[in-house]
Amino acid sequence: MTPPVFLTEPGDLDSDRVLLSGAEGRHAATVRRITVGEVVHLADGTGTRARCVVVAVGKDTVTCQVRERVVDPEPAPRITVVQALPKGDRGELAVEVMTEAGVDAVTPWQAERCVTRWKGDRAAKGPAKWRAAARAAAKQARRSRVPEVSGCASTREVADLLGGASLGIVLHEEGAVRLSTLEPPEGAFDPGGEIVLVVGPEGGFTDAELACFDEAGAVRALLGPTVLRTSTAGVAALSVLQARCGRW
């Protein structure tokens, strides 16, 4: 049976003995009923993973002895998905499935035609929910790196991301090229190389948004013959890019 995975804070795995406490400690001790002598895997969310043996269990804590430590290399190219805010809890769903599929960063975007608006308390609660979804999905997928989730970006900030990327892509039903035929430029595989993919809202892009992204040098690409929800288009496109880049 595959050992369970628990997340630690960055830097915790520098020590040979690690104490799991808080939510992770309660989950390990109370929910998973981890016992002394059991093998577990710990990941710090920034690329370090460790194979450990449990040496002590408390009410809400588990103490682990590190037996083997590995640092996973950063994926190349880095893939960031700009996700327009979906309705309801579909945003968390989008983050969950994209995390499982290997996204490196997610940027929420409040497009003009988004029904959902992150205002007031939601401006902080929205990203927090997405980060929690990314963290939980990273554990499920046994990832050593938890995707970064930024605050909500403006259209101008999204254009800046596209302009600074090795390859900027906007998913659009009238795209001149198919996403599956796009060839990542050589620079995308260099240190710091990045692909930025923009997924629009249910109501579609406005002409002004598309013009802004065109000016930034983004490529409009067609994913396929069917129209996907904004919450599922990202993971489908990410899967294509993973294969095109050789990450899968």
Side-chain angles (χ1 to χ4, degrees):
M1 184 177 178
T2 304
V5 175
F6 300 98
L7 291 176
T8 67
E9 295 302 316
D12 284 356
L13 297 183
D14 294 342
S15 303
D16 290 333
R17 185 165 288 208
V18 181
L19 175 67
L20 283 179
S21 58
E24 288 295 275
R26 286 191 295 275
H27 184 244
T30 306
V31 179
R32 294 300 300 263
R33 297 175 183 265
I34 296 297
T35 58
V36 172
E38 195 167 343
V39 174
V40 298
H41 287 178
L42 303 182
D44 71 353
T46 60
T48 302
R49 66 172 74 241
R51 180 179 177 275
C52 305
V53 174
V54 176
V55 295
V57 177
K59 180 181 178 181
D60 294 321
T61 62
V62 172
T63 304
C64 305
Q65 185 72 35
V66 175
R67 298 299 191 206
E68 182 182 8
R69 189 182 292 106
V70 176
V71 178
D72 295 328
E74 291 192 30
R78 173 184 169 92
I79 301 177
T80 294
V81 175
V82 176
Q83 174 66 60
L85 303 182
K87 299 175 185 175
D89 60 359
R90 288 187 174 274
E92 289 97 301
L93 171 64
V95 172
E96 177 184 336
V97 293
M98 287 192 292
T99 297
E100 292 175 2
V103 73
D104 299 302
V106 179
T107 298
W109 171 43
Q110 192 161 284
E112 288 187 39
R113 290 176 176 164
C114 284
V115 174
T116 297
R117 294 285 164 181
W118 283 359
K119 296 180 179 179
D121 291 344
R122 298 188 72 180
K125 290 181 179 178
K129 287 183 177 180
W130 285 27
R131 291 181 189 120
R135 186 177 176 87
K139 285 177 59 177
Q140 170 66 33
R142 307 184 65 79
R143 291 184 57 172
S144 63
R145 297 181 187 276
V146 177
E148 300 170 17
V149 178
S150 68
C152 197
S154 66
T155 297
R156 183 66 263 169
E157 289 169 332
V158 173
D160 289 342
L161 285 176
L162 289 166
S166 306
L167 175 61
I169 305 168
V170 174
L171 290 183
H172 197 272
E173 66 272 14
E174 296 179 359
V177 297
R178 288 188 177 274
L179 183 64
S180 59
T181 65
L182 278 180
E183 192 72 35
E186 288 296 325
F189 298 92
D190 295 337
E194 181 179 28
I195 294 175
V196 174
L197 173 77
V198 179
V199 180
E202 286 95 341
F205 299 97
T206 65
D207 290 341
E209 289 167 345
L210 288 174
C212 187
F213 298 157
D214 288 345
E215 186 178 349
V219 177
R220 298 190 200 181
L222 176 67
L223 180 56
T226 59
V227 177
L228 279 68
R229 287 182 179 270
T230 186
S231 54
T232 54
V235 68
L238 176 63
S239 301
V240 173
L241 290 175
Q242 291 274 44
R244 291 293 295 165
C245 295
R247 288 179 39 160
W248 277 10

